[in-house]
Amino acid sequence: MTSPLGQYDSDKLVNIGTNRWSFKPELGISKTVGPLTLELATGVRFYTDNNDFLDGRTLQVKPVYSVQGHLIYSITPGIWLGLDGLYYGGGRAVIDGNKGKRLENGRVGLTLALPINPHNSLKIYGSTGVYAKTGGEYDLVGIVWQLRWGGGL
């Protein structure tokens, strides 16, 4: 769930905030066989209306449907490499009744997880677009610090 936080200025097209709520129910399954784990998840993101978009217009965004999969190879306990795939479609923007284009994109990527200690790990990831009907034509790299807790550490 995302809340309408962040600065929002209705006379600007690009804003840090979105002035609307969204939520994404998701359902996933996973199966581990030896050092391999296969994960599959599907979801849909719903948006509330932004009734103060560009000087009082109403922005509606249709739901975005997604499916993603991960093939994960466990190298040693805590170190793993994942091949990631994502497809999403939908999300047509409607501004005061005028319909925009429907989104439809596919991406692939790699993720490497490296443990620092039992409670901290580092994830390095990258992805690229393989299909883009609208938007989504970009490469992405990143690094994430994870704090882990719970049983089994």
Side-chain angles (χ1 to χ4, degrees):
M1 179 178 290
T2 59
S3 60
L5 299 175
Q7 182 177 339
Y8 186 79
D9 190 347
S10 68
D11 66 345
K12 306 283 187 220
L13 179 60
V14 178
N15 280 282
I16 295 171
T18 60
N19 197 38
R20 65 175 181 222
W21 289 86
S22 73
F23 62 98
K24 182 181 180 186
E26 196 169 53
L27 180 64
I29 59 171
S30 67
K31 175 67 177 168
T32 300
V33 179
L36 291 176
T37 300
L38 177 62
E39 298 178 340
L40 185 65
T42 185
V44 58
R45 182 170 295 277
F46 298 98
Y47 300 89
T48 62
D49 294 349
N50 177 349
N51 295 313
D52 194 22
F53 179 75
L54 280 181
D55 297 323
R57 294 182 181 99
T58 298
L59 169 66
Q60 298 171 306
V61 176
K62 301 298 183 186
V64 176
Y65 303 92
S66 65
V67 62
Q68 60 181 310
H70 309 277
L71 179 61
I72 301 164
Y73 180 74
S74 180
I75 299 166
T76 64
I79 300 176
W80 55 265
L81 180 66
L83 174 63
D84 313 307
L86 166 68
Y87 170 83
Y88 63 91
R92 181 186 309 263
V94 180
I95 302 171
D96 285 345
N98 298 315
K99 293 180 181 179
K101 293 183 179 179
R102 180 182 186 276
L103 300 175
E104 190 174 352
N105 296 283
R107 300 187 62 76
V108 295
L110 289 172
T111 303
L112 175 64
L114 302 166
I116 305 300
N117 61 38
H119 297 284
N120 294 276
S121 65
L122 200 61
K123 281 196 326 188
I124 303 164
Y125 62 90
S127 70
T128 189
V130 293
Y131 170 76
K133 182 175 179 184
T134 50
E137 296 180 32
Y138 59 91
D139 296 322
L140 177 71
V141 293
I143 219 167
V144 174
W145 187 277
Q146 283 187 307
L147 176 61
R148 305 181 306 169
W149 71 90
L153 290 178

